[in-house]
Amino acid sequence: IVKAHALYGNKEKAKDPFFGLTMGSGSQSSGDVFNWFCVEAGSSSNPTVLLIHGFPSQAYSYRNVLPVLSDKYRSIAFDWLGFGFSDKPQPKYGFDYTLDEYTSALESLIDAVAPDKLSIVVQGYFAPIVVKYANEHQDKLNHLILVNPPITDKHAKLPSTLACFSNFLLGEVFSQDPLRASDKALTSSGPYMMKEEDATVYRRPYLVSGASGFALNAITRAMGKDLKAYIESMRSILASDSWNTKTTICWGLRDRWLTYDGVEDFCDGLKHNVVQLPMAGHHAQED
């Protein structure tokens, strides 16, 4: 557990947004600083690589990657706030799950786990947040790897599997369903066939507390509102003459959420390396 990112607010007890009842401990802010669940492998003397999961997923998605990287790198994977086993405060009681908040929260976590230079791998819809952070801290980065990031105008609209969580009332119902929030959301994005033992890990946060569902609902709404602007900003950053960070874009071609059309056109003429993964989908680290 790593403590990072000071919470805001008046520290009142979090309440259910519909019935006004006091929420359980999983929805309450843990103190002055949030708790992040992190997994680390490899020697601390090796170069650091930070593995960042997508939406909606967990650090667990890198379970097969960590052992491979640990021979040469100090590899760290973490759960974003609201996901997996990190804190999941009720929105408006310390964290609202906006993209701007996630950007500043990421900075605080990196300062805690990797104060020196590092490389970053980020998969999926959190890529624009990471690029915004990276643009302000290029001196800290050795290499940035974007795995199936939303990078074209067509990518700005969330797939129906995720967009349903932002629907008024219906979204609250869906986000509390562990099979829809974990299994369906993960397996609808590509060829990934989830084993039951893996599904158990992904479902657990939704089974033990309603906090995971409320967080999923909040971040989906934030993505729907601000994702387009963040994608436009990411495109501008990656195409800028001031962008000097070595960048690789890996693309699982069997992604059912994000089309590959336009990705090569964007990268053509830029200095970024593009790697195609013919048998992988949106969550390439799973495939």
Side-chain angles (χ1 to χ4, degrees), residues 141-183:
L141 267 68
N142 292 316
H143 196 159
L144 178 66
I145 297 116
L146 309 175
V147 183
N148 285 62
I151 204 168
T152 74
D153 292 338
K154 294 179 180 179
H155 297 162
K157 186 176 181 181
L158 290 175
S160 58
T161 311
L162 298 181
C164 69
F165 297 120
S166 65
N167 293 338
F168 181 65
L169 292 182
L170 188 63
E172 274 78 359
V173 175
F174 285 164
S175 65
Q176 299 296 331
D177 179 356
L179 297 183
R180 182 181 287 272
S182 60
D183 297 32

Side-chain angles (χ1 to χ4, degrees), residues 24-46:
S25 60
S27 292
Q28 305 297 338
S29 297
S30 56
D32 293 330
V33 184
F34 290 111
N35 294 316
W36 302 65
F37 175 81
C38 297
V39 181
E40 182 173 340
S43 172
S44 59
S45 62
N46 289 337

Side-chain angles (χ1 to χ4, degrees), residues 135 234-244 270-272:
N135 185 50
M234 179 172 70
R235 289 169 58 88
S236 176
I237 290 170
L238 294 177
S240 171
D241 291 338
S242 63
W243 180 254
N244 299 311
L270 301 178
K271 296 177 289 186
H272 314 320

Side-chain angles (χ1 to χ4, degrees), residues 191-251:
Y192 174 47
M193 301 294 291
M194 186 183 292
K195 297 179 181 178
E196 185 61 27
E197 58 265 33
D198 298 328
T200 300
V201 178
Y202 283 118
R203 293 173 194 157
R204 186 178 183 276
Y206 298 96
L207 290 170
V208 300
S209 169
S212 296
F214 285 121
L216 178 61
N217 181 272
I219 182 56
T220 305
R221 290 180 178 176
M223 285 278 184
K225 179 182 177 183
D226 296 328
L227 181 60
K228 182 178 180 181
Y230 260 71
I231 291 175
E232 291 174 351
S233 174
M234 179 172 70
R235 289 169 58 88
S236 176
I237 290 170
L238 294 177
S240 171
D241 291 338
S242 63
W243 180 254
N244 299 311
T245 300
K246 184 180 179 182
T247 305
T248 298
I249 296 177
C250 297
W251 202 275

Side-chain angles (χ1 to χ4, degrees), residues 5 95 97-105 129 132 226 230:
H5 194 61
F95 195 78
Y97 300 96
T98 66
L99 304 195
D100 286 346
E101 283 179 300
Y102 270 121
T103 304
S104 59
I129 292 171
K132 183 174 182 179
D226 296 328
Y230 260 71

